[in-house]
Amino acid sequence: MLELRNVTKTFNLTGNKEDLRTALDHINLQIESGEFVTIIGSNGSGKSTTVNVITGSVKPDSGQVLLNNVDITKLDEHQRASYFGHVFQDPMLGTSGDMSVLENLEIAYRRGRKHSPFLWGFRKSHKQIFINELKRFDLGLEDRLNQKVGVMSGGQRQALTLLMATIRNKPTHRTMKKDYIRFSEKDHDVAKKEFEDFYNPAYQEFKKEFRAILFDRTLKHKEKRAKLIEANRLFCQKVSKFDLTKQILLLDEHTAALDPKTAKKVLELTDKIVKENGMTTLMITHNMKDALTYGNRLIMFHGGHIILDVRGEEKQKLTIEDLLEKFNTAGDLPPDSAILSK
Ligand SMILES: Nc1ncnc2c1ncn2[C@@H]1O[C@H](COP(=O)(O)OP(=O)(O)OP(=O)(O)O)[C@@H](O)[C@H]1O
Ligand SMILES: [Mg+2]
């Protein structure tokens, strides 16, 4: 569970008192694991600042950010990087233009984690994972693995950023244990024992199976590889209940710079990836139709406050007119896309 507790942030660009901007005014927000929240609100209402406070790129003046009840407010952005996948409005921000598609993906895959020990011996398989994932975007990116990202279109870059934000190498034993003890609600020693009692025998069993496949002379190279990958997958699945920090996806107008067709494609794929992985997701958008169509909870920001927070059936019943009415009451102009998307 992700929580913002009484978070306040004021910016002062010039140093003059009159130029103080309160971006967030005592924000309280609890997001349950697996929730898909769409966030709307007029320009400057505090949406991006909220996401930036979560990732740690903006430090709040007061208040706390909690992940599974653990205060992470003081953790630096890079220390939190493995818990969050972030896609920005600007396609240039999420990828490195000087590097190839493959290099960008490799970096994202290892984000904040050391290489998984279970994948030794078949590191090359990453490439196949990336190719399979890229194919789903239907943008031909799988054939451009060695091309520099800098020469690609905004839509292609954004699709790549989305993939980079959602793929993650399985954490290593050490990282998983450290995070489990840190984020489990149980007492330190109890959590440690629980982890070791389950993990160690499962790992021994996996190792035995792994060796048996590796030294099986009846298997052809290809079959061996497939079996090893499958054994690894099953093992990771088995111990995944200890992987408490499955990634949280933060999308800040991630389709705004794309043409309507590509935007639609990227959005549909976002929804698919989120559902398949049960990812906890925050999606900022100016498109009210998208905010209503996707997700199971909708939040509206105004002047650094949350002025609407609806979920489930109540969200399903919401209409664009309801949202426009809410904008009007708050004294905000609805974004153009609200009208355009009607
Ligand atoms: N780095 C910064 N320096 C100074 N002021 C900032 C900074 N970041 C945000 N602000 C101010 O904080 C307020 C909230 O900004 P924020 O970016 O969170 O809005 P937003 O809801 O994301 O808007 P938009 O829809 O335009 O993206 C605005 O008044 C903005 O000018
Ligand atoms: Mg913003």
Side-chain angles (χ1 to χ4, degrees):
M1 197 244 285
L2 178 67
E3 186 179 355
L4 297 186
R5 215 177 264 173
N6 250 325
V7 169
T8 296
K9 179 71 194 174
T10 302
F11 289 103
N12 189 351
L13 276 183
T14 59
N16 294 334
K17 263 194 185 156
E18 327 52 278
D19 288 334
L20 279 181
R21 290 258 168 79
T22 301
L24 299 178
D25 190 3
H26 296 93
I27 291 287
N28 283 297
L29 179 62
Q30 285 190 359
I31 293 155
E32 298 303 327
S33 228
E35 267 188 325
F36 183 171
V37 186
T38 55
I39 299 180
I40 55 171
S42 53
N43 293 126
S45 56
K47 306 179 297 295
S48 296
T49 308
T50 300
V51 163
N52 295 337
V53 162
I54 293 171
T55 61
S57 67
V58 166
K59 290 271 178 239
D61 300 331
S62 60
Q64 294 161 300
V65 183
L66 296 105
L67 188 59
N68 289 6
N69 291 322
V70 175
D71 190 346
I72 58 165
T73 323
K74 290 205 170 69
L75 290 189
D76 281 341
E77 192 178 8
H78 76 270
Q79 291 172 303
R80 305 182 201 183
S82 59
Y83 310 137
F84 303 107
H86 196 174
V87 188
F88 305 85
Q89 172 175 356
D90 184 350
M92 302 303 148
L93 285 177
T95 45
S96 171
D98 294 339
M99 292 197 284
S100 70
V101 173
L102 197 59
E103 286 164 340
N104 271 281
L105 284 167
E106 278 290 351
I107 287 172
Y109 199 60
R110 288 151 202 258
R111 184 169 4 132
R113 312 259 172 190
K114 292 210 176 66
H115 187 64
S116 164
F118 318 119
L119 285 167
W120 54 263
F122 47 100
R123 270 184 60 178
K124 275 192 198 133
S125 64
H126 289 176
K127 193 166 161 183
Q128 198 51 50
I129 296 174
F130 301 153
I131 291 174
N132 292 346
E133 292 294 322
L134 285 170
K135 274 187 183 156
R136 305 169 63 195
F137 287 90
D138 204 14
L139 291 168
L141 290 174
E142 64 279 9
D143 301 322
R144 305 173 68 171
L145 282 181
N146 295 313
Q147 202 167 73
K148 291 245 186 319
V149 170
V151 301
M152 298 168 94
S153 75
Q156 289 165 336
R157 275 184 93 146
Q158 204 63 328
L160 182 62
T161 313
L162 177 65
L163 181 56
M164 286 168 64
T166 50
I167 52 166
R168 185 187 67 152
N169 199 353
K170 298 285 177 289
T172 61
H173 165 225
R174 264 183 55 203
T175 326
M176 204 192 288
K177 182 169 161 183
K178 202 178 87 211
D179 282 349
Y180 186 73
I181 294 168
R182 179 191 266 174
F183 290 111
S184 165
E185 284 171 12
K186 291 166 191 141
D187 180 66
H188 178 281
D189 290 340
V190 174
K192 189 170 167 221
K193 188 170 179 326
E194 192 186 8
F195 182 91
E196 284 168 352
D197 283 355
F198 184 90
Y199 191 95
N200 293 348
Y203 182 57
Q204 290 310 324
E205 199 181 309
F206 165 69
K207 231 164 77 177
K208 232 166 91 186
E209 195 189 345
F210 199 97
R211 283 219 182 96
I213 301 169
L214 204 62
F215 299 118
D216 187 343
R217 293 183 173 197
T218 65
L219 293 172
K220 290 203 184 79
H221 179 71
K222 248 190 165 169
E223 290 171 331
K224 199 177 266 191
R225 223 177 109 93
K227 277 189 177 256
L228 288 175
I229 291 174
E230 181 60 10
N232 178 68
R233 194 187 66 79
L234 288 175
F235 171 69
C236 288
Q237 198 178 42
K238 201 166 171 185
V239 295
S240 73
K241 66 174 180 174
F242 288 103
D243 186 6
L244 286 186
T245 57
K246 293 194 185 70
Q247 265 192 319
I248 294 171
L249 183 59
L250 305 166
L251 308 165
D252 192 348
E253 298 184 50
H254 73 306
T255 58
L258 310 180
D259 70 71
K261 203 171 139 225
T262 314
K264 190 164 175 267
K265 199 182 273 174
V266 171
L267 247 180
E268 283 169 2
L269 216 83
T270 305
D271 194 46
K272 210 165 159 198
I273 293 173
V274 165
K275 281 186 182 142
E276 276 173 11
N277 300 298
M279 290 182 101
T280 310
T281 305
L282 267 68
M283 182 175 94
I284 300 175
T285 176
H286 279 297
N287 186 312
M288 298 212 203
K289 207 167 155 195
D290 292 341
L292 292 173
T293 307
Y294 295 99
N296 48 17
R297 182 172 170 190
L298 182 146
I299 286 174
M300 187 191 276
F301 272 82
H302 169 70
H305 298 274
I306 291 172
I307 56 164
L308 183 72
D309 184 356
V310 287
R311 54 186 102 201
E313 260 182 47
E314 205 187 338
K315 174 175 183 286
Q316 277 174 15
K317 281 192 215 139
L318 268 184
T319 62
I320 290 186
E321 280 70 26
D322 294 334
L323 295 180
L324 288 176
E325 169 75 26
K326 197 74 192 168
F327 268 110
N328 276 333
T329 321
D332 275 341
L333 283 174
D336 291 347
S337 56
I339 318 267
L340 294 174
S341 65
K342 274 181 88 171

